[in-house]
């Protein structure tokens, strides 16, 4: 039936379509008007026309005909076709429509109906994602022409060109090009109007969208926008007027987004009145339950970005307009965008302040929603839920109580085992680091179940092999936390799975934090006398080599301190300490570090010496004699006499007291 309908459409339109190829301008005009009228409001007719292969002829008439009326009618028809289905628009783009329209914009006289029709058509094409961004080059001459239209064109032309540019502006290159072409001044002109009424909605929204796109994560553009004026008012002053309660919700929301992006780019400080009394309360108000769901979702996500890094804004937002209640209600909304926005906002608010985290946790049913969010079918919701969990996992109190009650580690481990994307893997593994801290009750059930332990260790070890530094850091950090005060079987599983070769690679990592956590892992593995001796009996050459590698290398003091602490732990082993005593090179380094100008290295070396000379241990006298012979006793006495080491006096005194006849 559908094929028959299309056939009838083709037959009924055949006569005037044929006339499009006539040499008679009057017949072409008549055919274009008939064609235009036939496709208005009918997607079926639009599809039929496109299927008949008429688009190339329309583009030819639009660009090449000498009759201005023919060019205009062809352009208007193209614009009408671009209001069809996504499939219609995709076909138009494939046939070069966007590129042809851009070519027309380069030459069409300003303030003409042809130019306006071309802009309307291109806007219609760009409104269907994915927009053909590449059809509009970063050509300064063209961009300056477009920004001139935005300043001086007809109201419809201005709105169209700004909407096109707001979609086109997708990164630093476009942001800087538009700024150089005078887009900030054009935006200011569009926003300028009587303060009481504000600019018309159709003009304000595209201008605000363009400003937001230009300022997002761009310090230079945001600074220029900050200082751009139209008449006596600057852009931020205009934005402050647009976030008020009497403005349309969509306008207030995007104006608040502009102020948010300018703040996050560094143009507006966190205590600026336009942020504190403008953007923030506006966004909190737009999160309340009497607002439309799409407005609430975007407002929550924008507020999350506004307060993400500043504690003062987090505290202020937490007490603004019953925000906690509003966010809890948004989580219950059916749309994925709403849930995502609420979770992100909770994550930002709880990033730094323990009291705020407590209030978030006490929000009725939130943890159930977080767990459900991690199981949501939408990847963006899962990511936002994990971000929320990560923020709350920074709370010692919540790790000890609420997290255990809801078993959050189970869905988190499930997510991490399903080959998640980079962003989810990063924030999820960082959350796992917190869940594996020694005071977290989640740690015990994770390590008690062999299948969970095996999966967790394998996953974390695989992270240490990733090219991304953040993932290597999270992997080794979580292993370090896992090994702290762990059973021998857990430590053995870590060592076996990670492997000593990978540990050496991590000690040579380009990220100092990775090296620190690798040494921290070694230090935690080598704790508890029985574990120290067991591990050193199997891995002593590799461990000693790792320590020497660090002590001899050009590492920062805090890294060398960790290596000395590992030696100190080895020195606490019943049999393992003999491995240090058998290595004269290490013992001479110990003497050097006791005299090191860096206080933390003196103290770490003192920890090693103290464990090696401890009286009452088997072989203590022989060790004391050997250490005295190599200069350790003398180094301790010199350290006791140093004025800049008085804070170590008690520890030095204790170590010296262990020497018998040598003191």
């Amino acid at each position: 039936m559908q094929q028959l309908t299309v056939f009838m459409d083709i037959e009924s339109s055949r006569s005037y379509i044929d006339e499009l190829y006539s040499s008679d301008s009057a017949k072409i005009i008549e055919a274009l008007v008939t064609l235009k009228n036939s496709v208005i409001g009918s997607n079926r007719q639009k599809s039929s026309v496109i299927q008949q292969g008429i688009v190339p002829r329309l583009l030819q008439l639009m660009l090449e005909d000498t009759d201005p009326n023919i060019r205009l009618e062809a352009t208007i028809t193209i614009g009408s076709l671009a209001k069809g289905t996504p499939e219609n628009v995709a076909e138009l783009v494939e046939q070069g429509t966007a590129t042809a329209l851009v070519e027309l914009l380069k030459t069409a006289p300003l303030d003409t109906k042809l130019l306006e029709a071309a802009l309307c058509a291109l806007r219609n094409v760009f409104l269907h994602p994915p927009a053909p961004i590449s059809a509009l080059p970063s050509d300064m001459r063209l961009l300056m022409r477009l920004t001139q239209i935005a300043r001086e064109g007809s109201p419809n032309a201005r709105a169209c060109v700004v909407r096109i540019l707001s979609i086109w502006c997708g990164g630093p290159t476009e942001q800087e090009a538009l700024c150089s072409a005078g887009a900030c001044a054009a935006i200011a002109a569009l926003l300028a109007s009587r303060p009481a009424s504000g600019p018309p909605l159709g003009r304000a929204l595209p201008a605000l969208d363009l400003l937001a796109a230009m300022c997002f994560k761009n310090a230079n553009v945001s600074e220029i926008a900050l200082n751009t004026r139209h008449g006596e008012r600057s852009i931020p002053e205009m934005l402050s007027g647009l976030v008020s309660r009497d403005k349309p919700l969509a306008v207030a929301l995007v104006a608040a987004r502009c102020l948010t992006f300018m703040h996050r780019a560094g143009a507006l400080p966190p205590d600026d009145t336009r942020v504190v009394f403008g953007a923030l309360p506006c966004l909190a108000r737009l999160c309340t339950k009497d607002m439309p769901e799409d407005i609430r979702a975007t407002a929550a996500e924008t507020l999350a970005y506004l307060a993400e890094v500043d504690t003062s804004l987090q505290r202020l937002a937490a007490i603004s307009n019953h925000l906690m209640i509003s966010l809890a209600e948004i989580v219950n909304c059916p749309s994925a965008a709403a849930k995502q926005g609420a979770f992100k906002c909770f994550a930002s608010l709880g990033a730094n302040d323990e009291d705020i985290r407590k209030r978030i946790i006490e929000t009725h049913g939130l943890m159930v929603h977080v767990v459900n969010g991690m199981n949501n079918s939408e990847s963006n919701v899962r990511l936002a839920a994990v971000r929320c969990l990560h923020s709350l996992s920074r709370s010692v109190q919540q790790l000890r109580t609420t997290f255990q009650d809801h078993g959050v580690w189970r869905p988190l481990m499930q997510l991490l085992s399903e080959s998640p994307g980079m962003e989810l893997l990063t924030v999820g593994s960082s959350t796992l680091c917190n869940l594996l801290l020694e005071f977290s009750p989640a740690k015990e059930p994770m390590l008690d179940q062999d299948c969970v332990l095996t999966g967790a260790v394998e996953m974390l070890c695989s992270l240490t092999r990733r090219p991304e530094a953040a993932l290597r850091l999270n992997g080794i950090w979580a292993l370090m936390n896992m090994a702290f005060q762990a059973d021998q079987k857990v430590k053995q599983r870590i060592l076996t799975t990670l492997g000593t070769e990978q540990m050496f690679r991590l000690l040579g990592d380009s990220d100092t934090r990775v090296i620190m956590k690798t040494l921290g892992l070694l230090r935690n593995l080598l704790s508890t006398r029985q574990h120290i001796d067991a591990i050193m009996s199997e891995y002593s050459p590799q461990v000693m080599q790792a320590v020497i590698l660090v002590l001899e290398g050009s590492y920062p003091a805090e890294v060398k301190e960790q290596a000395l602490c590992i030696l100190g732990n080895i020195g606490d082993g019943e049999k393992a300490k003999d491995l240090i005593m058998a290595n004269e090179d290490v013992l001479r380094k110990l003497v050097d570090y006791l005299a090191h100008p860096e206080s933390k290295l003196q103290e770490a070396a003192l920890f090693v010496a103290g464990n090696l000379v401890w009286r009452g241990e088997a072989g203590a006298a022989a060790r004391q004699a050997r250490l005295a012979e190599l200069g350790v006793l003398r180094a301790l006495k010199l350290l006791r006499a140093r004025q800049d080491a008085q804070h170590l006096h008690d520890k030095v005194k204790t170590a010296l007291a262990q020497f018998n006849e040598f003191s």
Side-chain angles (χ1 to χ4, degrees):
M1 184 65 185
Q2 186 177 8
Q3 289 179 341
L4 178 60
T5 303
V6 171
F7 176 76
M8 292 171 63
D9 289 338
I10 293 172
E11 288 303 303
S12 63
S13 60
R14 178 62 62 191
S15 59
Y16 66 78
I17 287 175
D18 288 343
E19 298 294 349
L20 290 175
Y21 299 88
S22 171
S23 58
D24 187 334
S25 295
K27 289 183 178 180
I28 295 176
I29 285 279
E30 185 179 352
L32 284 170
V33 171
T34 305
L35 178 61
K36 177 184 70 176
N37 292 337
S38 74
V39 299
I40 290 175
S42 172
N43 283 344
R44 189 185 69 187
Q45 283 290 92
K46 290 179 173 69
S47 298
S48 172
V49 166
I50 293 171
Q51 287 171 17
Q52 291 176 69
I54 302 169
V55 172
R57 177 58 177 165
L58 292 174
L59 296 178
Q60 183 184 27
L61 293 171
M62 180 183 78
L63 291 175
E64 299 176 7
D65 204 276
T66 56
D67 188 322
N69 291 324
I70 289 178
R71 298 184 72 190
L72 176 60
E73 291 298 333
T75 306
I76 292 172
T77 305
I78 288 289
S80 182
L81 293 175
K83 287 185 175 180
T85 65
E87 292 76 18
N88 292 156
V89 178
E91 185 66 29
L92 289 174
V93 171
E94 189 174 328
Q95 295 187 43
T97 300
T99 303
L101 288 167
V102 170
E103 287 302 311
L104 179 57
L105 291 176
K106 292 179 180 179
T107 57
L110 297 176
D111 287 331
T112 60
K113 290 183 178 179
L114 177 61
L115 181 76
E116 187 171 316
L119 286 168
C120 289
L122 189 61
R123 177 202 58 192
N124 294 344
V125 171
F126 267 60
L127 285 173
H128 284 270
I133 303 297
S134 60
L136 184 59
S138 296
D139 177 71
M140 189 52 58
R141 197 170 180 179
L142 172 61
L143 292 178
M144 291 182 73
R145 180 177 173 84
L146 293 176
T147 55
Q148 181 185 358
I149 296 168
R151 288 193 308 272
E152 304 168 3
S154 67
N156 194 29
R158 296 171 81 182
C160 286
V161 75
V162 174
R163 174 58 68 207
I164 292 165
L165 293 175
S166 70
I167 298 169
W168 178 76
C169 183
T173 301
E174 295 83 4
Q175 290 170 331
E176 296 292 343
L178 283 170
C179 191
S180 299
C184 286
I187 290 167
L190 283 163
L191 296 180
S193 65
R194 295 188 308 277
S197 61
L201 183 63
R203 195 169 79 204
L205 269 179
L208 290 169
D209 282 336
L210 176 56
L211 180 61
M214 288 177 62
C215 290
F216 184 62
K217 295 185 177 179
N218 193 312
N220 179 53
V221 173
S222 294
E223 192 66 32
I224 291 171
L226 176 71
N227 296 304
T228 299
R229 309 181 74 85
H230 187 87
E232 296 182 354
R233 303 173 69 210
S234 68
I235 283 181
E237 287 169 342
M238 297 182 205
L239 294 174
S240 296
L242 294 174
V243 297
S244 58
R245 289 176 178 271
D246 62 330
K247 296 299 182 290
L249 297 180
V251 169
L253 174 60
V254 188
R257 283 173 68 80
C258 292
L259 288 168
T260 294
F261 295 166
M262 291 175 74
H263 158 62
R264 286 301 307 272
L268 294 173
D271 59 352
D272 190 288
T273 55
R274 292 161 291 198
V275 174
V276 174
F277 300 116
L280 192 149
C282 173
L283 293 169
R285 172 173 60 86
L286 295 177
C287 287
T288 55
K289 64 180 179 182
D290 53 336
M291 298 293 167
E293 186 174 321
D294 60 332
I295 293 285
R296 299 172 77 190
T298 306
E301 184 153 1
T302 306
L303 185 51
Y305 187 61
L306 175 67
E308 186 177 20
V309 297
D310 188 85
T311 304
S312 64
L313 290 178
Q314 291 160 10
R315 289 172 178 158
L316 182 60
I319 59 172
S320 295
N321 216 324
H322 307 290
L323 181 62
M324 296 295 189
I325 296 172
S326 297
L327 292 176
E329 291 167 344
I330 296 174
V331 170
N332 277 313
C333 290
S335 77
K339 294 180 188 297
Q340 177 185 338
F343 283 138
K344 281 187 173 181
C345 200
F346 275 131
S348 287
L349 296 181
N352 297 299
D353 191 289
E354 182 66 16
D355 289 338
I356 297 177
R357 291 189 199 112
K358 186 173 184 293
R359 290 178 58 198
I360 293 172
I361 288 289
E362 289 172 352
T363 301
H364 180 68
L366 177 65
M367 290 308 297
V368 174
H369 286 298
V370 171
V371 171
N372 291 339
M374 288 194 286
N375 293 316
N376 194 280
S377 59
E378 292 286 336
S379 60
N380 287 339
V381 176
R382 295 196 298 271
L383 174 59
V386 174
R387 284 198 179 283
C388 182
L389 184 66
H390 178 244
S391 180
L392 299 176
S393 73
R394 293 174 175 147
S395 167
V396 174
Q397 179 63 30
Q398 305 313 325
L399 280 174
R400 286 175 169 160
T401 54
T402 308
F403 278 33
Q404 176 63 10
D405 296 340
H406 292 274
V408 295
W409 62 271
R410 294 180 185 277
L412 180 62
M413 284 297 298
Q414 182 64 33
L415 267 182
L416 293 176
S417 67
E418 294 174 351
S419 302
M422 171 67 181
E423 200 172 358
L424 179 55
L425 189 56
T426 302
V427 70
S429 56
S430 186
T431 306
L432 190 59
C433 287
N434 293 342
L435 296 182
L436 286 168
L437 288 165
E438 74 273 13
F439 48 75
S440 169
K443 181 176 180 179
E444 186 176 340
M446 288 177 67
L447 302 189
D448 279 349
Q449 301 177 40
D450 282 344
C451 60
V452 177
L453 172 62
T454 301
V457 172
E458 288 178 352
M459 185 268 292
L460 294 173
C461 288
S462 71
L463 291 184
T464 71
R465 298 179 175 89
R466 292 288 295 251
E468 302 87 358
L471 291 181
R472 296 198 303 277
L473 177 62
N474 287 349
I476 198 66
W477 198 334
L479 289 170
M480 182 189 80
N481 289 348
M482 182 184 284
F484 184 78
Q485 296 182 349
D487 294 339
Q488 178 66 20
K489 72 164 187 176
V490 174
K491 294 181 177 181
Q492 192 63 42
R493 181 65 57 85
I494 293 172
L495 273 168
T496 303
T497 308
L498 184 63
T500 54
E501 285 188 16
Q502 176 60 9
M503 194 170 291
F504 279 117
R505 277 194 288 269
L506 293 171
L507 288 174
D509 200 276
S510 58
D511 191 322
T512 303
R513 298 172 302 169
V514 172
I515 299 171
M516 285 287 287
K517 298 308 174 187
T518 305
L519 292 170
L521 168 62
L522 263 176
R523 188 174 173 182
N524 287 346
L525 290 171
L526 294 165
S527 62
T528 308
R529 177 166 288 190
Q530 183 181 354
H531 296 175
I532 294 168
D533 287 334
I535 290 172
M536 291 302 291
S537 67
E538 188 172 351
Y539 295 99
S540 61
Q542 296 93 331
V543 172
M544 293 301 291
Q545 185 181 347
V547 171
I548 292 170
L549 175 73
V550 173
L551 292 179
E552 290 183 344
S554 56
Y555 291 95
E558 60 267 21
V559 174
K560 291 178 179 288
E561 179 188 18
Q562 284 293 314
L564 287 168
C565 288
I566 291 169
L567 274 184
N569 282 11
I570 296 171
D572 190 43
E574 187 174 343
K575 298 177 182 177
K577 56 169 54 80
D578 293 338
L579 296 165
I580 300 176
M581 295 303 302
N583 193 318
E584 185 172 325
D585 190 34
V586 170
L587 295 177
R588 293 192 182 280
K589 284 183 174 53
L590 179 60
V591 175
D592 293 339
Y593 281 108
L594 284 169
H596 200 280
E598 189 78 45
S599 175
K600 64 177 69 175
L601 296 180
Q602 293 173 356
E603 187 169 2
L606 188 55
F607 170 55
V608 182
N611 279 347
L612 292 177
V613 303
W614 198 256
R615 188 186 300 171
E617 299 276 348
R623 285 193 297 276
Q624 290 173 5
R626 177 64 173 149
L627 291 170
E629 178 187 338
L630 290 171
V632 171
L633 179 59
R634 180 173 177 274
L636 288 171
K637 290 179 177 179
L638 289 173
L639 187 58
R640 180 178 59 182
R642 286 178 60 163
Q643 292 299 314
D644 60 351
Q646 291 302 304
H647 62 291
L648 300 177
H649 185 269
D650 289 343
K651 292 180 179 179
V652 175
K653 184 178 178 182
T654 301
L656 284 171
Q658 300 308 309
F659 282 90
N660 294 325
E661 64 273 19
F662 302 104
S663 59

